[in-house]
Amino acid sequence: MVDSSKGSDYKRRAVYTALSEFISGDDLLKAMCLWQEEYADAPRHANNQFVAQVLNGTLLASKHAVIHLKLTTILLEKDPILKPDPLTDMHDYLVRKKGRDHADKVLDHAINSVVATTTQDGTHKNVKAFELLVNEFINNVAQTDKEHFAGLNVAMSNAAKTLNRDNDKLLSLIEWFEGLSLSIPNRIDTDTLRSVLNAGYVEACNKVGPVVADTALSDAVKKVELDVSIKPFSPRDLL
Amino acid sequence: MFSNRNWFVVFLCIFFSSSAIAADSALSQAAGDSVWIVVAGALVFFMQAGFALLESGMSRTKNSINVIMKNFVDASVGSIVFWLIGFGIMFGINQSGWFGTSHFALDHAEQGDYTFLFFQAMFAATAVTIASGAMAERTRFSAYIFGAVIICAVIYPVYGSWVWGSYVEGTGWLSEKGFIDFAGSSVVHSIGGWIALAGVIVLGPRLGRFNEDGSPRDIPGHNLTSVALGGFILWLGWFGFNAGSTVAADESIGLIALNTHLASAAGAVGALFTMMLLRKKLLMTLTVNGALAGLVSITAGCASMTPMYAVITGLIGGAVMIFSTLMLEKMKIDDVVGAIPVHGFAGVWGTLAAGVFYQEQMFNVDIIIVQLIGIAAAFLWAFPVALVMYFLIHKTVGLRIEAIGEQRGLDYSEHYEIGYPEFHNENLHKEIS
């Protein structure tokens, strides 16, 4: 079975590896930035549209099927040999072409971001948004069901423990859930945060039902979106 | 004002045209049959719109596009696969009594064969789409389509050949025993219902559908108005489904249409009455399902019952639907739209009722035994085969979407398309660029 839960960093490396056989230099980085901006979270079938958009108006347009096949194959392979993450090069490219602000905006929430901006208190914006969102989500659930909301912390903490990621980073996350620290000091990739939040959502569905869980999370997102301290990061990237 | 000469011309026209009709009465009958079957087939196709509205209305906003897509692709893929393979298995030369062996990808045939294939393709599309509603809100789209192909190519037509497989040559083994299923309470609906049952068992319930103590938790659909409209469209389409199954424009279609209508009305009343008896809330969704259960119930015996028994069949069908809905909930089986009670269980009752209330030999034990054999055969064929099929799909392609997909909604995670963009802020996914 295809593991579609592979992180965005893995997918980015896979797309980069596949495309690098056909294009190079700035063209390749431009394509990768397009993927990051519009297709990183899209379903697998959107790859066809991505390839078409990359090749549009180029001499490679006739190779659409070959490139798409290569991309699909590498994404489905179990243990492909992948090139290193091109995120730094992508950032440099965007800074050169469109300025630092645009580069930060596009790549700010990318996985293992090397350019992640921080809030005034030094926390990374995706982590800050996560903290706010989780707190708001739990508060919203608590307003509906005082009995079960405490279980959400435990579920998210347990989910963090099961993730096969960097232990130091996860430890800070777990400590925050268990109330041992007031904030999460480490930079943590958005994929990890998303998985942990989803575990909380699943727990909320089981404990208080999907209607309450959906409403609580939706309301939380709307409230956190208004917080200027996390901008330009959007809490929707954690969903 | 007409002159005398004009009146004479009109008289001649009428005289010669009536003479021509008399001479070509056989041809006219064939043409009339053809017109009726095509119109009935179009009505059956319109049922797809009913399914789409009903099923999407009973789903949450974040899954509405996915449900519509499944219905649409069922009709499209199902029709092509049935033309390619299913029709041959169901209606081809059937010497063994178990499946047909000719008429695959029908390309050169008599005019009547094309008409019949058109009508039957609509039936196949109906059978395959029954499972979509039951499996809504957590099924991976590609996996669902794999299943739909196998249903249309194998599961539905094989059982169909047992009952209706005497179109060209030979006959099905159930047909030979005298099994009565005029328009498909078992062939179409029970088969669809048992496939849906297998699907939801492999899938498991939606996140949070049941409390920790096992009691069901309501997950209301997003548009009950479209559920009602879908119910009315299905009711309308069923006139084509049942009355078209005469495969001829003859006088019997009046009784069949009347029985269909009365049974549907009685199904709704039966469901309401049962809810009142059980002191349950009088839900619109269950009332619509009651009418549909009445329609499914009368489908087998609509041509061989008097209207009085059609009403009784519909009334009991509505009650069967309510009781089986409650039973499935107790068993923690999550059927989003109630497809299994409506099509599976009401189909069983309808098939039995066709034997019990058979117009010329009511309560004949021999007929009832044959009906029971047919009912058991439908379950023993469709359920285990579908269970294995969905299990294999689950282990290979993956039948169920990941939890993050269920959180985001299948519209976003499977199709990258939003059904209600104006309510975007209410949805739990990031913005589509």
Side-chain angles (χ1 to χ4, degrees):
Chain A
M1 197 177 116
V2 179
D3 178 14
S4 57
S5 60
K6 285 170 181 166
S8 292
D9 51 344
Y10 176 90
K11 285 195 276 184
R12 183 168 54 245
R13 288 176 61 201
V15 172
Y16 183 66
T17 307
L19 291 185
S20 62
E21 286 190 22
F22 304 95
I23 49 178
S24 57
D26 277 2
D27 289 342
L28 178 57
L29 292 173
K30 185 182 173 189
M32 289 309 299
C33 292
L34 172 72
W35 179 84
Q36 187 68 53
E37 198 169 5
E38 296 188 18
Y39 295 94
D41 285 317
R44 206 179 300 139
H45 66 76
N47 286 333
N48 199 14
Q49 191 183 343
F50 165 63
V51 174
Q53 208 171 336
V54 169
L55 303 182
N56 187 26
T58 71
L59 295 172
L60 287 169
S62 61
K63 287 199 169 179
H64 177 107
V66 178
I67 297 173
H68 182 231
L69 181 65
K70 177 70 188 174
L71 183 56
T72 307
T73 310
I74 210 161
L75 283 168
L76 291 174
E77 260 179 72
K78 202 172 179 187
D79 292 310
I81 299 167
L82 300 179
K83 287 179 181 285
D85 197 336
L87 204 54
T88 316
D89 293 341
M90 288 161 62
H91 185 255
D92 292 345
Y93 168 80
L94 277 182
V95 170
R96 264 193 293 124
K97 295 289 180 183
K98 297 188 176 177
R100 182 166 294 278
D101 285 350
H102 182 81
D104 285 352
K105 188 182 173 190
V106 172
L107 301 175
D108 183 42
H109 55 267
I111 315 304
N112 292 324
S113 174
V114 292
V115 290
T117 50
T118 53
T119 56
Q120 283 184 338
D121 63 1
T123 314
H124 289 278
K125 289 188 172 181
N126 62 337
V127 174
K128 181 72 179 173
F130 176 79
E131 288 177 6
L132 293 171
L133 192 57
V134 167
N135 283 333
E136 205 57 48
F137 177 50
I138 291 176
N139 283 341
N140 290 345
V141 173
Q143 282 173 15
T144 316
D145 190 318
K146 288 191 167 49
E147 188 186 343
H148 287 119
F149 77 96
L152 300 185
N153 257 338
V154 177
M156 286 189 265
S157 176
N158 287 341
K161 287 172 191 168
T162 61
L163 291 171
N164 186 22
R165 305 271 164 87
D166 185 333
N167 280 339
D168 286 344
K169 290 175 182 174
L170 290 181
L171 194 61
S172 65
L173 195 59
I174 292 162
E175 282 176 351
W176 182 72
F177 275 120
E178 291 176 354
L180 300 173
S181 63
L182 291 174
S183 64
I184 305 166
N186 282 336
R187 187 170 65 210
I188 299 177
D189 60 86
T190 306
D191 252 9
T192 299
L193 299 174
R194 190 184 291 140
S195 301
V196 171
L197 180 65
N198 180 242
Y201 172 81
V202 171
E203 181 68 7
C205 283
N206 290 331
K207 297 293 184 191
V208 297
V211 176
V212 174
D214 278 351
T215 311
L217 189 53
S218 181
D219 289 349
V221 168
K222 275 187 268 182
K223 188 161 180 186
V224 174
E225 265 177 334
L226 300 175
D227 194 314
V228 290
S229 70
I230 60 161
K231 295 213 183 278
F233 187 84
S234 166
R236 288 184 185 275
D237 289 323
L238 293 167
L239 300 178
Chain B
M1 290 290 287
F2 267 23
S3 66
N4 285 342
R5 183 168 169 274
N6 284 343
W7 281 116
F8 181 67
V9 170
V10 170
F11 170 77
L12 284 178
C13 286
I14 292 170
F15 177 78
F16 284 113
S17 60
S18 54
S19 301
I21 287 167
D24 296 333
S25 58
L27 180 65
S28 299
Q29 181 61 44
D33 291 349
S34 200
V35 168
W36 168 235
I37 296 166
V38 170
V39 168
L43 280 170
V44 178
F45 181 72
F46 194 41
M47 287 170 70
Q48 294 290 339
F51 279 120
L53 284 170
L54 186 136
E55 292 174 9
S56 67
M58 283 202 188
S59 308
R60 287 166 284 178
T61 47
K62 61 182 180 179
N63 299 312
S64 57
I65 289 292
N66 176 254
V67 173
I68 298 278
M69 273 291 281
K70 285 196 291 186
N71 287 133
F72 215 89
V73 176
D74 276 342
S76 311
V77 173
S79 298
I80 290 171
V81 172
F82 187 74
W83 165 70
L84 277 172
I85 304 168
F87 186 75
I89 290 178
M90 193 158 168
F91 294 105
I93 295 169
N94 189 358
Q95 300 292 8
S96 63
W98 293 93
F99 53 86
T101 53
S102 66
H103 288 61
F104 297 103
L106 199 65
D107 206 32
H108 296 286
E110 300 291 324
Q111 293 299 329
D113 290 345
Y114 294 133
T115 314
F116 187 66
L117 169 58
F118 169 74
F119 187 64
Q120 288 301 333
M122 300 307 158
F123 269 51
T126 305
V128 78
T129 212
I130 289 168
S132 72
M135 296 166 70
E137 302 205 299
R138 73 271 206 208
T139 310
R140 192 185 292 278
F141 181 66
S142 54
Y144 176 81
I145 300 306
F146 273 121
V149 168
I150 296 166
I151 293 165
C152 253
V154 182
I155 301 178
Y156 166 71
V158 164
Y159 184 77
S161 77
W162 300 351
V163 183
W164 295 340
S166 50
Y167 178 66
V168 183
E169 198 180 307
T171 188
W173 68 271
L174 273 171
S175 171
E176 204 156 287
K177 285 185 183 298
F179 181 64
I180 305 158
D181 191 1
F182 181 72
S185 280
S186 275
V187 174
V188 178
H189 297 284
S190 281
I191 290 290
W194 302 144
I195 291 167
L197 179 63
V200 296
I201 286 173
V202 175
L203 272 174
R206 287 167 290 172
L207 285 175
R209 174 69 174 94
F210 295 99
N211 285 304
E212 284 169 328
D213 62 3
S215 59
R217 200 185 267 132
D218 280 342
I219 306 178
H222 82 283
N223 191 340
L224 300 193
T225 314
S226 83
V227 172
L229 180 58
F232 275 122
I233 290 174
L234 284 166
W235 192 330
L236 172 71
W238 229 286
F239 296 132
F241 197 95
N242 284 357
S245 291
T246 51
V247 203
D250 60 31
E251 289 175 345
S252 67
I253 59 176
L255 173 69
I256 294 169
L258 177 67
N259 279 349
T260 302
H261 185 63
L262 289 176
S264 183
V269 173
L272 272 174
F273 193 61
T274 311
M275 285 187 275
M276 287 166 71
L277 278 180
L278 296 174
R279 297 183 181 181
K280 299 273 182 193
K281 284 187 280 186
L282 302 182
L283 298 179
M284 183 275 282
T285 47
L286 284 178
T287 310
V288 170
N289 273 354
L292 299 181
L295 288 163
V296 170
S297 302
I298 198 60
T299 298
C302 57
S304 53
M305 275 187 209
T306 60
M308 175 66 79
Y309 289 101
V311 169
I312 294 170
T313 301
L315 272 172
I316 296 175
V320 165
M321 185 276 301
I322 296 285
F323 285 116
S324 49
T325 300
L326 296 174
M327 185 184 79
L328 289 176
E329 284 182 347
K330 275 209 182 325
M331 294 168 72
K332 293 175 78 171
I333 289 174
D334 182 17
D335 174 354
V336 176
V337 301
I340 301 163
V342 167
H343 299 276
F345 288 97
V348 166
W349 159 242
T351 309
L352 187 62
V356 173
F357 302 140
Y358 191 64
Q359 204 166 9
E360 286 150 15
Q361 300 172 63
M362 296 243 292
F363 308 106
N364 182 316
V365 176
D366 293 337
I367 293 176
I368 293 169
I369 288 173
V370 171
Q371 293 303 99
L372 289 172
I373 291 171
I375 289 165
F379 182 80
L380 292 173
W381 163 247
F383 180 71
V385 172
L387 200 64
V388 170
M389 174 188 79
Y390 281 127
F391 183 75
L392 290 176
I393 290 174
H394 189 54
K395 288 291 168 194
T396 51
V397 186
L399 188 62
R400 184 165 181 145
I401 192 88
E402 293 91 7
I404 189 79
E406 218 170 320
Q407 174 194 304
R408 290 169 166 173
L410 275 70
D411 293 0
Y412 177 84
S413 57
E414 289 291 278
H415 308 291
Y416 210 44
E417 195 170 22
I418 304 296
Y420 294 89
E422 66 272 39
F423 303 137
H424 175 76
N425 285 339
E426 303 299 328
N427 293 323
L428 295 175
H429 46 67
K430 65 175 286 191
E431 196 165 359
I432 288 180
S433 46

